[in-house]
Amino acid sequence: MKRIFILLPLLLTGLLASAQQKSLRELQQAFVDLRFGMFIHFGMPTYSTEDWPDPDMPASAFAPTKLDCHQWAKAAKSAGMTYGCLTTKHHSGFCIWNTRTTDYCSMKSPARIDVVRQYVDAFRQEGLGVMLYFSILDTHHRIRPGHIKPEHTKFIKAQLKELLTKYGDITAIIIDGWDAPWSRISYDDISFPEIYAYIKSLQPNCLVMDLNAAKYPREALFYTDIKSYEQGAGQKISTSENRLPALACLPLQRTWFWKESMPTDRLRDVRWIVEENIRPYNEAYCNFILNVAPNRDGQMDANAIEALRQIGRLWHHEGPTKPVPECDAPITQRNIAKHCPTEYSWSNDYGIGDFACDDDFSSAWTAHPSVQEPWWEVDLRGKHSISLVTVMEQTNGNIQSYRLEYKKGKRWYTLFEGIVPECRVKQHRFSPVDAEKVRITVTRHHGTVALTEVGVY
């Protein structure tokens, strides 16, 4: 009987936890339904003339004297925003929370202030949701190309643990500086599956977004729960074609972090923000987030506050958006096929088979037009348990049907054979199998057969 009484509270705790955990689809829909939020870039770059300051700029340079996160929250609310997202650590590595992982933080500055704590408290007091931004690239702590060590993953996980255990429920974490053409830290250097699983273990309902649309195609959720577009970097969502839960971000001012001219700068036109961004994006399953940069005192400039008020006069939150279409689950595992050796039927000109697994979505293996049933295969360099294969073609609809197989020992086994959907990224999910090779044989096509990237997971 004593055993039963001990087990009962444990069972109730488990049931409560499972009842509170939401499905990814529910979380994606709830995120899109938020419609409009405030990005807040604030940190060491605020005290520099550049958004990428000297990574060894002293902690003493961070010196807000009138930090007012309540002002930020009230300004967000005046614009009809529903949440905020604060840069806890940007690319130069300065942390603006009470961290034990490094002395390069706001608590070791003259301000001795936990900005994240003040931010989450202020926004929640105004009834607004809370999200956080976190950079994997960290030039101060030498988490950059050519310097990655195993302890860097431990360091990142320790920082994420602080952010996701000390500040209550976090709706989403936006990650940056990871597997981007400019950051050059791959998902293998710092393991995406490991970090993703760790975040979910700390907060199962926290969405994980990586700002990776510069590299990965818009047709699928590669390494992100929400397709994320940084418009200032030329990443433009298609309002006519998007069918994924999405985020688009843009600064109100000319740069992400505050600069001395901003109090008198001309800001982005508020009507353009509403009519050309918020409204059409919301109709395309996309949440729009507008950055407003606080100044060196820790407050938002009067012209920015007024612009937000004007947005609030033009736009009002109208409740939930239309349902987001069903979509494939995010791809979160390592691509086993990346950079593996290939064999293939005759290629056209220089479009050799290696281009189909080179981790570059701008290149492609191109079959020679004289080959009626072109084929391509990849050697996985040993036996691997696989359960997902993605096939991306360069031009949508040219490939009409194919046979997808895997090799185990001396035999080939068919995973799929038939007509394929008319979309650029095709995903095949199946029960785990042990595979040494994967092969695609195109059985029907019109026009050029070109495989941009084949992923095996």
Side-chain angles (χ1 to χ4, degrees):
M1 185 65 94
K2 190 182 287 185
R3 250 166 149 194
I4 293 170
F5 284 124
I6 292 169
L7 285 171
L8 193 58
L10 293 174
L11 287 169
L12 289 172
T13 301
L15 288 169
L16 186 62
S18 63
Q20 291 172 339
Q21 187 172 339
K22 298 178 181 177
S23 70
L24 179 58
R25 180 163 176 76
E26 286 177 303
L27 296 170
Q28 290 168 329
Q29 184 67 57
F31 174 80
V32 173
D33 288 345
L34 289 172
R35 292 183 179 265
F36 182 34
M38 177 184 278
F39 220 161
I40 307 159
H41 276 62
F42 184 63
M44 190 58 79
T46 307
Y47 300 87
S48 169
T49 57
E50 307 290 339
D51 276 6
W52 289 66
D54 180 348
D56 294 319
M57 193 171 171
S60 59
F62 183 80
T65 55
K66 301 175 183 176
L67 181 69
D68 189 352
C69 296
H70 290 280
Q71 183 217 32
W72 306 354
K74 290 179 189 299
K77 201 166 183 180
S78 76
M81 294 168 165
T82 56
Y83 66 92
C85 181
L86 176 67
T87 55
T88 63
K89 183 181 77 166
H90 204 251
H91 309 318
S92 58
F94 188 77
C95 304
I96 59 171
W97 75 93
N98 187 9
T99 178
R100 293 184 177 181
T101 63
T102 178
D103 286 342
Y104 199 56
C105 67
S106 57
M107 292 299 290
K108 301 296 182 180
S109 74
R112 294 192 59 81
I113 198 165
D114 184 340
V115 182
V116 173
R117 168 54 62 199
Q118 296 208 21
Y119 152 74
V120 298
D121 288 350
F123 272 66
R124 286 179 180 136
Q125 190 171 319
E126 292 296 329
L128 301 172
V130 168
M131 302 182 195
L132 304 175
Y133 164 107
F134 182 88
S135 175
I136 295 292
L137 177 67
D138 181 336
T139 52
H140 178 84
H141 298 99
R142 307 307 188 256
I143 306 177
R144 55 185 172 85
H147 294 261
I148 307 297
K149 300 174 183 176
E151 52 261 38
H152 286 144
T153 296
K154 294 178 182 177
F155 178 81
I156 288 167
K157 288 171 76 173
Q159 292 193 330
L160 289 170
K161 184 176 183 180
E162 290 176 341
L163 291 170
L164 294 172
T165 58
K166 293 183 177 181
Y167 299 98
D169 291 340
I170 304 300
T171 302
I173 186 159
I174 297 178
I175 299 178
D176 198 7
W178 201 7
D179 208 41
W182 51 270
S183 74
R184 296 175 293 114
I185 299 175
S186 77
Y187 291 141
D188 296 327
D189 295 331
I190 301 292
S191 169
F192 184 91
E194 183 176 349
I195 298 300
Y196 182 86
Y198 187 66
I199 291 172
K200 297 293 186 177
S201 74
L202 296 173
Q203 291 208 26
N205 290 334
C206 179
L207 288 163
V208 178
M209 288 178 247
D210 195 6
L211 290 170
N212 63 13
K215 175 178 177 178
Y216 290 95
R218 60 194 170 105
E219 291 88 352
L221 294 171
F222 284 93
Y223 305 101
T224 186
D225 290 335
I226 302 288
K227 198 68 187 173
S228 307
Y229 297 87
E230 186 180 334
Q231 290 175 270
Q235 301 162 24
K236 186 78 171 175
I237 186 172
S238 170
T239 53
S240 61
E241 297 180 12
N242 180 59
R243 293 295 179 271
L244 297 174
L247 165 77
C249 58
L250 196 68
L252 173 65
Q253 296 127 315
R254 63 182 176 84
T255 58
W256 293 99
F257 286 93
W258 188 87
K259 299 295 173 279
E260 290 182 354
S261 66
M262 284 184 176
T264 56
D265 277 351
R266 184 175 181 179
L267 308 181
R268 293 187 192 274
D269 180 71
V270 296
R271 191 169 293 277
W272 177 83
I273 289 170
V274 172
E275 301 301 336
E276 300 297 325
N277 292 271
I278 306 173
R279 292 192 198 281
Y281 291 169
N282 285 175
E283 287 299 308
Y285 318 107
C286 182
N287 183 325
F288 181 68
I289 182 168
L290 182 69
N291 187 75
V292 187
N295 59 34
R296 290 174 184 169
D297 285 336
Q299 298 185 12
M300 291 177 176
D301 294 328
N303 60 347
I305 295 290
E306 179 55 30
L308 292 170
R309 282 199 199 99
Q310 290 178 25
I311 290 171
R313 294 190 193 107
L314 294 171
W315 184 84
H316 300 281
H317 195 288
E318 297 174 356
T321 61
K322 58 189 178 183
V324 176
E326 292 282 349
C327 63
D328 287 305
I331 296 162
T332 61
Q333 296 302 309
R334 176 178 173 269
N335 180 7
I336 301 166
K338 185 167 72 172
H339 301 311
C340 284
T342 63
E343 294 294 342
Y344 41 90
S345 58
W346 188 15
S347 300
N348 190 30
D349 205 356
Y350 68 89
I352 61 174
D354 303 333
F355 287 136
C357 59
D358 63 351
D359 199 36
D360 183 349
F361 291 87
S362 64
S363 63
W365 167 63
T366 308
H368 195 276
S370 67
V371 181
Q372 289 189 344
E373 290 196 354
W375 58 271
W376 178 94
E377 71 178 49
V378 59
D379 185 340
L380 302 177
R381 292 179 173 145
K383 190 184 292 182
H384 296 269
S385 177
I386 67 171
S387 58
L388 168 65
V389 174
T390 61
V391 180
M392 181 175 176
E393 60 176 313
Q394 193 171 57
T395 304
N396 183 18
N398 281 11
I399 298 175
Q400 296 168 308
S401 65
Y402 58 63
R403 181 169 59 256
L404 176 64
E405 303 168 280
Y406 73 95
K407 188 176 185 182
K408 179 183 178 183
K410 295 182 178 181
R411 284 191 59 188
W412 285 93
Y413 301 86
T414 300
L415 288 167
F416 168 85
E417 185 169 14
I419 297 170
V420 295
E422 194 172 323
C423 57
R424 282 211 310 155
V425 181
K426 302 154 192 16
Q427 298 190 41
H428 301 275
R429 296 176 187 269
F430 43 87
S431 299
V433 297
D434 291 332
E436 296 161 29
K437 294 183 180 182
V438 169
R439 182 167 66 197
I440 300 161
T441 304
V442 178
T443 53
R444 187 179 171 192
H445 64 93
H446 63 81
T448 302
V449 171
L451 297 182
T452 297
E453 203 72 16
V454 177
V456 180
Y457 310 87

